[in-house]
Amino acid sequence: MRGQRVGVVGPLTGPRAAYGEWLRKAVQGSSLPLIWADDAADPVVAVAAARRLLAGGAGVVIGHFNSECARSAGALYQAAGVPLLLPAATAPDLCRTVGAFRLCASELQQVITIVDYLAQVYTQVEEFWSDGSPYGERLASALQQRLLPMTLQGASQSVCALMGSHVAVAAEIRRRARPGTVYLVPDDCVVEEFGELLAGTGAITLCPHATPDFGDCARMALRFVAAAVEEGCAVREYLDAHADFDQGQYRHAGYIMKWHEYSIFPGHDKGRHHHAT
Protein backbone atom coordinates (compact mmCIF):
# COMPACT_ATOMS: atom_id res chain seq x y z
CA MET A 1 0.00 0.00 0.00
CA ARG A 2 3.00 2.28 -0.41
CA GLY A 3 1.73 5.72 -1.37
CA GLN A 4 -1.81 5.04 -0.10
CA ARG A 5 -3.33 6.74 2.92
CA VAL A 6 -4.28 5.23 6.28
CA GLY A 7 -7.88 5.86 7.23
CA VAL A 8 -8.51 6.59 10.92
CA VAL A 9 -12.13 6.62 12.04
CA GLY A 10 -14.00 6.82 15.32
CA PRO A 11 -16.56 8.82 17.32
CA LEU A 12 -15.03 12.27 16.99
CA THR A 13 -18.38 13.89 17.85
CA GLY A 14 -21.47 12.90 19.82
CA PRO A 15 -21.87 11.26 23.25
CA ARG A 16 -18.96 8.89 22.63
CA ALA A 17 -16.52 11.63 21.61
CA ALA A 18 -14.30 10.87 24.61
CA TYR A 19 -13.21 7.75 22.73
CA GLY A 20 -12.56 9.79 19.62
CA GLU A 21 -10.26 12.03 21.64
CA TRP A 22 -8.47 8.93 22.95
CA LEU A 23 -7.97 7.83 19.34
CA ARG A 24 -6.64 11.27 18.32
CA LYS A 25 -4.06 11.23 21.09
CA ALA A 26 -3.04 7.64 20.36
CA VAL A 27 -2.11 8.26 16.72
CA GLN A 28 -0.65 11.73 17.24
CA GLY A 29 2.80 12.05 15.72
CA SER A 30 2.48 9.16 13.26
CA SER A 31 4.60 9.57 10.15
CA LEU A 32 2.07 7.67 8.03
CA PRO A 33 -0.24 9.68 5.74
CA LEU A 34 -3.55 9.75 7.63
CA ILE A 35 -7.08 10.56 6.48
CA TRP A 36 -9.71 11.07 9.17
CA ALA A 37 -13.43 10.35 9.35
CA ASP A 38 -16.07 10.68 12.08
CA ASP A 39 -18.56 7.84 12.61
CA ALA A 40 -20.23 9.43 15.68
CA ALA A 41 -20.63 5.86 17.07
CA ASP A 42 -23.64 5.55 14.73
CA PRO A 43 -23.74 2.65 12.22
CA VAL A 44 -25.51 4.77 9.58
CA VAL A 45 -22.93 7.54 9.89
CA ALA A 46 -20.20 4.88 9.87
CA VAL A 47 -21.23 3.72 6.40
CA ALA A 48 -20.99 7.29 5.09
CA ALA A 49 -17.62 7.66 6.83
CA ALA A 50 -16.38 4.44 5.19
CA ARG A 51 -17.39 5.70 1.76
CA ARG A 52 -15.49 8.95 2.35
CA LEU A 53 -12.37 7.07 3.42
CA LEU A 54 -12.48 4.78 0.40
CA ALA A 55 -13.11 7.71 -1.95
CA GLY A 56 -10.20 9.52 -0.30
CA GLY A 57 -7.78 6.73 -1.15
CA ALA A 58 -7.50 4.86 2.14
CA GLY A 59 -5.60 1.61 1.60
CA VAL A 60 -6.13 0.43 5.18
CA VAL A 61 -8.47 1.60 7.94
CA ILE A 62 -7.89 1.77 11.70
CA GLY A 63 -10.80 2.39 14.01
CA HIS A 64 -14.55 2.16 14.50
CA PHE A 65 -14.54 1.84 18.29
CA ASN A 66 -18.20 0.80 18.22
CA SER A 67 -18.77 -2.80 17.10
CA GLU A 68 -21.96 -2.06 15.17
CA CYS A 69 -20.15 0.71 13.29
CA ALA A 70 -17.36 -1.75 12.48
CA ARG A 71 -19.91 -4.29 11.30
CA SER A 72 -21.77 -1.86 9.00
CA ALA A 73 -18.70 -0.15 7.58
CA GLY A 74 -16.61 -3.33 7.54
CA ALA A 75 -18.70 -4.83 4.76
CA LEU A 76 -17.70 -1.91 2.51
CA TYR A 77 -14.00 -2.24 3.31
CA GLN A 78 -14.15 -5.98 2.76
CA ALA A 79 -15.80 -5.53 -0.65
CA ALA A 80 -13.13 -2.98 -1.59
CA GLY A 81 -10.28 -5.23 -0.42
CA VAL A 82 -9.21 -2.71 2.23
CA PRO A 83 -8.10 -4.27 5.56
CA LEU A 84 -9.77 -3.03 8.75
CA LEU A 85 -7.78 -2.99 12.02
CA LEU A 86 -9.89 -2.78 15.16
CA PRO A 87 -8.37 -1.19 18.28
CA ALA A 88 -11.55 -1.31 20.40
CA ALA A 89 -14.52 -3.03 18.67
CA THR A 90 -15.10 -6.19 20.71
CA ALA A 91 -18.04 -8.09 19.13
CA PRO A 92 -16.76 -11.68 18.84
CA ASP A 93 -17.72 -12.25 15.19
CA LEU A 94 -16.06 -9.25 13.51
CA CYS A 95 -12.80 -10.93 12.50
CA ARG A 96 -14.83 -13.57 10.69
CA THR A 97 -17.82 -11.68 9.29
CA VAL A 98 -16.03 -8.61 7.91
CA GLY A 99 -12.50 -10.02 7.70
CA ALA A 100 -11.16 -7.54 10.27
CA PHE A 101 -8.00 -7.77 12.35
CA ARG A 102 -8.61 -7.11 16.05
CA LEU A 103 -5.90 -5.75 18.35
CA CYS A 104 -7.98 -5.71 21.55
CA ALA A 105 -9.53 -8.77 23.17
CA SER A 106 -13.08 -9.79 22.29
CA GLU A 107 -16.22 -9.61 24.43
CA LEU A 108 -16.03 -13.38 24.92
CA GLN A 109 -12.65 -12.97 26.59
CA GLN A 110 -14.07 -10.10 28.66
CA VAL A 111 -16.91 -12.28 29.93
CA ILE A 112 -14.57 -15.17 30.76
CA THR A 113 -12.28 -12.82 32.71
CA ILE A 114 -15.22 -11.39 34.67
CA VAL A 115 -16.66 -14.81 35.54
CA ASP A 116 -13.28 -16.21 36.61
CA TYR A 117 -12.66 -13.18 38.80
CA LEU A 118 -16.07 -13.30 40.49
CA ALA A 119 -15.54 -16.98 41.29
CA GLN A 120 -12.13 -16.28 42.79
CA VAL A 121 -13.39 -13.57 45.14
CA TYR A 122 -16.73 -15.30 45.90
CA THR A 123 -18.91 -12.53 44.55
CA GLN A 124 -22.49 -13.03 43.34
CA VAL A 125 -24.32 -10.91 40.73
CA GLU A 126 -27.71 -9.90 42.11
CA GLU A 127 -28.99 -8.06 39.02
CA PHE A 128 -28.31 -7.80 35.28
CA TRP A 129 -29.14 -4.51 33.54
CA SER A 130 -28.53 -3.40 29.95
CA ASP A 131 -28.93 -0.05 28.21
CA GLY A 132 -30.63 -1.89 25.32
CA SER A 133 -27.76 -1.44 22.86
CA PRO A 134 -26.45 -4.49 20.96
CA TYR A 135 -23.23 -4.21 23.01
CA GLY A 136 -25.05 -4.04 26.34
CA GLU A 137 -27.45 -6.84 25.41
CA ARG A 138 -24.66 -9.16 24.24
CA LEU A 139 -22.68 -8.71 27.44
CA ALA A 140 -25.66 -8.98 29.79
CA SER A 141 -26.88 -12.12 28.02
CA ALA A 142 -23.44 -13.77 27.95
CA LEU A 143 -22.85 -13.02 31.63
CA GLN A 144 -26.24 -14.39 32.62
CA GLN A 145 -25.66 -17.61 30.68
CA ARG A 146 -22.32 -18.20 32.39
CA LEU A 147 -23.12 -16.95 35.89
CA LEU A 148 -26.66 -18.14 36.60
CA PRO A 149 -25.69 -21.85 36.68
CA MET A 150 -22.91 -21.05 39.18
CA THR A 151 -23.43 -21.34 42.91
CA LEU A 152 -20.78 -19.49 44.88
CA GLN A 153 -20.84 -20.99 48.35
CA GLY A 154 -20.15 -18.45 51.05
CA ALA A 155 -20.21 -15.49 48.65
CA SER A 156 -18.93 -12.50 50.62
CA GLN A 157 -20.69 -9.81 48.60
CA SER A 158 -22.97 -9.14 45.66
CA VAL A 159 -22.72 -6.75 42.73
CA CYS A 160 -25.11 -5.26 40.19
CA ALA A 161 -24.08 -5.81 36.56
CA LEU A 162 -24.77 -2.74 34.41
CA MET A 163 -23.88 -3.31 30.76
CA GLY A 164 -23.79 -0.69 28.00
CA SER A 165 -22.04 2.51 26.95
CA HIS A 166 -20.09 4.45 29.57
CA VAL A 167 -22.54 7.35 29.32
CA ALA A 168 -25.62 5.16 29.81
CA VAL A 169 -24.04 3.18 32.67
CA ALA A 170 -22.97 6.36 34.49
CA ALA A 171 -26.47 7.81 34.09
CA GLU A 172 -28.01 4.61 35.52
CA ILE A 173 -25.67 4.67 38.54
CA ARG A 174 -26.62 8.29 39.19
CA ARG A 175 -30.32 7.46 38.79
CA ARG A 176 -30.09 4.72 41.40
CA ALA A 177 -28.27 6.99 43.88
CA ARG A 178 -27.00 4.13 46.07
CA PRO A 179 -23.60 5.11 47.55
CA GLY A 180 -21.45 2.13 48.47
CA THR A 181 -23.11 -0.23 45.97
CA VAL A 182 -20.69 -2.25 43.85
CA TYR A 183 -21.46 -2.09 40.13
CA LEU A 184 -19.93 -4.47 37.62
CA VAL A 185 -19.43 -2.36 34.47
CA PRO A 186 -17.99 -3.21 31.02
CA ASP A 187 -14.74 -2.21 29.32
CA ASP A 188 -16.45 0.78 27.68
CA CYS A 189 -16.30 2.44 31.11
CA VAL A 190 -12.50 2.59 31.22
CA VAL A 191 -12.48 6.00 29.51
CA GLU A 192 -11.58 8.94 31.76
CA GLU A 193 -14.91 10.67 31.19
CA PHE A 194 -16.69 7.84 33.01
CA GLY A 195 -14.93 8.80 36.24
CA GLU A 196 -15.90 12.43 35.74
CA LEU A 197 -19.54 11.40 35.30
CA LEU A 198 -19.46 9.44 38.59
CA ALA A 199 -17.78 12.13 40.68
CA GLY A 200 -19.60 12.52 44.00
CA THR A 201 -21.75 9.39 43.68
CA GLY A 202 -20.02 7.25 46.32
CA ALA A 203 -20.36 4.30 43.94
CA ILE A 204 -17.87 1.45 43.64
CA THR A 205 -17.18 -0.07 40.22
CA LEU A 206 -15.60 -3.33 39.15
CA CYS A 207 -14.42 -3.05 35.56
CA PRO A 208 -12.41 -5.15 33.08
CA HIS A 209 -9.54 -3.10 31.64
CA ALA A 210 -8.25 -4.16 28.23
CA THR A 211 -4.57 -5.07 28.01
CA PRO A 212 -3.16 -3.57 25.92
CA ASP A 213 -5.54 -0.63 26.35
CA PHE A 214 -7.43 0.82 23.41
CA GLY A 215 -4.91 3.63 22.84
CA ASP A 216 -2.04 1.15 22.80
CA CYS A 217 -4.02 -0.98 20.34
CA ALA A 218 -4.37 2.00 17.98
CA ARG A 219 -0.64 2.72 18.20
CA MET A 220 0.13 -0.95 17.66
CA ALA A 221 -2.09 -1.00 14.56
CA LEU A 222 -0.07 1.87 13.11
CA ARG A 223 3.17 0.02 13.85
CA PHE A 224 1.94 -3.07 12.02
CA VAL A 225 0.92 -0.97 9.02
CA ALA A 226 4.30 0.80 9.03
CA ALA A 227 6.12 -2.54 9.19
CA ALA A 228 4.13 -3.88 6.24
CA VAL A 229 4.94 -0.75 4.23
CA GLU A 230 8.63 -1.05 5.13
CA GLU A 231 8.69 -4.64 3.90
CA GLY A 232 6.82 -3.70 0.73
CA CYS A 233 4.06 -6.14 1.68
CA ALA A 234 0.28 -5.78 1.54
CA VAL A 235 -1.09 -5.20 5.05
CA ARG A 236 -3.52 -8.11 4.89
CA GLU A 237 -0.83 -10.52 3.71
CA TYR A 238 1.53 -9.22 6.39
CA LEU A 239 -0.97 -9.71 9.24
CA ASP A 240 -2.27 -13.07 7.94
CA ALA A 241 1.30 -14.37 8.13
CA HIS A 242 2.17 -12.68 11.43
CA ALA A 243 2.78 -15.01 14.39
CA ASP A 244 0.97 -12.65 16.78
CA PHE A 245 -2.38 -13.11 15.02
CA ASP A 246 -4.67 -16.12 14.98
CA GLN A 247 -7.58 -15.89 12.52
CA GLY A 248 -7.43 -12.11 12.69
CA GLN A 249 -7.27 -11.88 16.49
CA TYR A 250 -4.16 -10.50 18.24
CA ARG A 251 -3.00 -13.35 20.47
CA HIS A 252 -1.71 -11.33 23.41
CA ALA A 253 -4.80 -9.24 24.18
CA GLY A 254 -6.67 -9.75 27.43
CA TYR A 255 -8.27 -8.06 30.45
CA ILE A 256 -7.51 -7.36 34.08
CA MET A 257 -10.19 -6.55 36.65
CA LYS A 258 -10.01 -3.32 38.65
CA TRP A 259 -12.09 -1.79 41.42
CA HIS A 260 -12.58 1.94 41.75
CA GLU A 261 -14.20 3.76 44.65
CA TYR A 262 -15.80 7.17 44.02
CA SER A 263 -16.03 9.53 46.95
CA ILE A 264 -19.30 11.27 47.80
CA PHE A 265 -17.17 14.40 47.79
CA PRO A 266 -16.28 15.44 44.20
CA GLY A 267 -12.55 15.75 43.70
CA HIS A 268 -11.71 13.21 46.41
CA ASP A 269 -12.09 9.94 44.48
CA LYS A 270 -9.62 7.20 45.23
CA GLY A 271 -8.74 4.03 43.39
CA ARG A 272 -8.52 0.58 44.92
CA HIS A 273 -7.35 -2.06 42.49
CA HIS A 274 -7.53 -5.86 42.39
CA HIS A 275 -6.17 -7.66 39.34
CA ALA A 276 -7.63 -10.90 38.05
CA THR A 277 -5.25 -13.82 37.69
Side-chain angles (χ1 to χ4, degrees), residues 11-19 38 40-41 167 193:
L12 307 181
T13 60
R16 309 294 297 285
Y19 273 99
D38 177 17
V167 174
E193 184 180 64

Side-chain angles (χ1 to χ4, degrees), residues 5 7 9 35-39 43-58 61 64 69 72-80 82:
R5 305 165 84 183
V9 58
I35 175 174
W36 283 85
D38 177 17
D39 67 16
V44 175
V45 178
V47 169
R51 289 182 176 137
R52 285 196 297 274
L53 290 176
L54 293 172
V61 174
H64 293 298
C69 288
S72 298
L76 275 68
Y77 304 132
Q78 189 175 35
V82 171

Side-chain angles (χ1 to χ4, degrees), residues 1 4-7 53 57-61 81-83 235:
M1 61 160 284
Q4 291 182 306
R5 305 165 84 183
V6 178
L53 290 176
V60 60
V61 174
V82 171
V235 172

Side-chain angles (χ1 to χ4, degrees), residues 58-93:
V60 60
V61 174
I62 297 171
H64 293 298
F65 274 36
N66 177 280
S67 291
E68 300 317 303
C69 288
R71 190 187 315 283
S72 298
L76 275 68
Y77 304 132
Q78 189 175 35
V82 171
L84 171 63
L85 280 63
L86 304 173
T90 55
D93 67 296

Side-chain angles (χ1 to χ4, degrees), residues 92 106-116 118-119 123-125 128 138-152:
S106 75
E107 287 165 19
L108 176 59
Q109 197 164 351
Q110 180 178 178
V111 169
I112 290 171
T113 300
I114 290 171
V115 171
D116 287 348
L118 294 179
T123 300
Q124 296 273 24
V125 177
F128 296 91
R138 282 195 306 268
L139 284 173
S141 176
L143 282 169
Q144 283 182 293
Q145 290 177 14
R146 287 179 177 268
L147 285 171
L148 289 180
M150 294 175 58
T151 301
L152 301 180

